[in-house]
Amino acid sequence: MKRRLIFSTALALATLSACAESPIRPPSPPLTYDRLGSLMQVSVVDRATGRELPIYRHRGEYWVAGRPGSRYAIRARNAMGERVMAVMSVDGVNIVTGETAGVLQNGYVFSGGERSDITGWRKSDSQIAAFEFTSIGNSYASRTGRPADVGVIGVALFRERVPAPPIVLPQRDGYGNNREMERRSEAPSAVAEAAPAAPAAQSRSADSALGAESTAAAKGGLARPSPSLGTGHGRRETSHVGYTTFQRAQSTPDEVVRIRYDSRENLIAAGVIPVPPPPRWPRPEGPSAFPGSEMGYVPDPPARY
């Protein structure tokens, strides 16, 4: 009885393709920002390079990676066409007065569209002590007995109260006619009475989200691979300021920008900065079970001599 041999090339190709190793998907890039804020755009600048540090979003919080010993600045640009007051804190300390930070304390006033780099702790009308990343124990907050809030930069923003325009009373002539009403019929009217101010929105931006999970991990969870960073009281530098008056539109900030910081090593260990996987070792090709490529029958052995 003859047996039929069937050569199925299509089946063989399909089997090989199914066994092929699927490619590894590259890790998704981290979600980063250059600046935060709507009333005022806030960023952190490495003064050695002049570049704004990337801001990473992780579990509702924003982070920058600092280098120990490097000086930095808080860059702020007023995005409004009006004056805005910025009360700034570093490590829970007001950078102008040195007090434990509160939102109703003194700060800097920015004109519409103005941009400035805040480079240090205010020492006088003409000097600052530079911001520099350092160990927690050497930070200004720790050295003044306030280490609990080391590792955060805060900016509380206030809009200015606009004074109400004066009320214009109608003028009457000697015959008792309302001359003001006559003028209004000839030209567009001016506002004679201040419109009631709309209630101020007591809102905080998403940049001030606390991120309970990240906070709990930082307080007592996993061990850090390297010491955490704080901000030191650096060398004196020249920086002149003047004085002005500013009346807040409301007693609560219109916006709060909150940026946390630590070393790059710690942020990688915490998963804030994702890193690509190391390159895989190329696997050598294994022995083939069917090294011959031609399909046929068993040939005769070589002739004997």
Side-chain angles (χ1 to χ4, degrees):
M1 181 178 180
K2 294 184 178 180
R3 298 180 181 274
R4 181 177 299 176
L5 299 177
I6 301 176
F7 299 96
S8 179
T9 305
L11 179 60
L13 293 177
T15 304
L16 289 176
S17 63
C19 296
E21 193 172 304
S22 60
I24 300 175
R25 294 183 179 179
S28 57
L31 190 59
T32 60
Y33 303 81
D34 294 326
R35 305 173 188 91
L36 297 179
S38 56
L39 296 181
M40 183 172 289
Q41 296 178 349
V42 180
S43 60
V44 181
V45 179
D46 185 336
R47 295 180 63 188
T49 63
R51 296 181 179 179
E52 296 178 345
L53 299 177
I55 302 174
Y56 301 91
R57 179 178 172 85
H58 182 70
R59 295 182 179 179
E61 294 196 288
Y62 297 90
W63 297 82
V64 293
R67 293 182 298 109
S70 64
R71 293 179 299 159
Y72 72 89
I74 304 171
R75 176 168 293 172
R77 186 182 73 83
N78 185 356
M80 308 294 291
E82 61 191 64
R83 297 205 308 172
V84 173
M85 180 178 183
V87 180
M88 299 185 177
S89 69
V90 171
D91 297 346
V93 179
N94 185 300
I95 67 171
V96 175
T97 66
E99 302 171 275
T100 299
V103 295
L104 297 181
Q105 295 169 350
N106 292 343
Y108 291 106
V109 175
F110 292 74
S111 301
E114 181 182 357
R115 194 195 83 170
S116 180
D117 286 357
I118 310 301
T119 55
W121 310 97
R122 175 59 52 185
K123 303 300 296 181
S124 67
D125 295 351
S126 59
Q127 280 194 332
I128 55 94
F131 294 142
E132 61 181 19
F133 291 119
T134 185
S135 63
I136 287 184
N138 196 39
S139 66
Y140 176 74
S142 294
R143 292 172 64 184
T144 55
R146 296 168 288 182
D149 297 298
V150 172
V152 63
I153 297 167
V155 182
L157 301 170
F158 293 87
R159 303 181 74 165
E160 189 171 17
R161 173 172 293 178
V162 179
I167 298 176
V168 179
L169 298 176
Q171 300 179 4
R172 298 181 180 273
D173 57 17
Y175 299 97
N177 298 322
N178 192 335
R179 298 172 59 185
E180 180 66 22
M181 294 300 294
E182 294 176 1
R183 284 197 296 269
R184 289 186 182 182
S185 63
E186 299 174 359
S189 62
V191 177
E193 186 175 357
Q202 300 182 7
S203 62
R204 293 175 181 262
S205 70
D207 309 328
S208 65
L210 296 180
E213 295 183 5
S214 296
T215 305
K219 284 186 176 180
L222 302 177
R224 297 176 180 272
S226 62
S228 296
L229 293 184
T231 296
H233 186 272
R235 68 185 184 187
R236 298 289 185 99
E237 297 178 359
T238 300
S239 174
H240 295 278
V241 292
Y243 292 88
T244 187
T245 58
F246 186 95
Q247 188 174 9
R248 296 170 168 90
Q250 59 182 25
S251 60
T252 55
D254 293 282
E255 184 179 17
V256 175
V257 177
R258 183 174 184 264
I259 303 175
R260 298 182 65 179
Y261 65 87
D262 207 336
S263 66
R264 182 174 180 83
E265 294 79 10
N266 286 344
L267 296 187
I268 290 175
V272 176
I273 302 178
V275 293
R280 297 182 62 183
W281 176 64
R283 185 168 51 192
E285 296 182 1
S288 175
F290 302 95
S293 59
E294 296 183 1
M295 296 183 180
Y297 298 101
V298 178
D300 295 336
R304 293 183 178 179
Y305 295 97

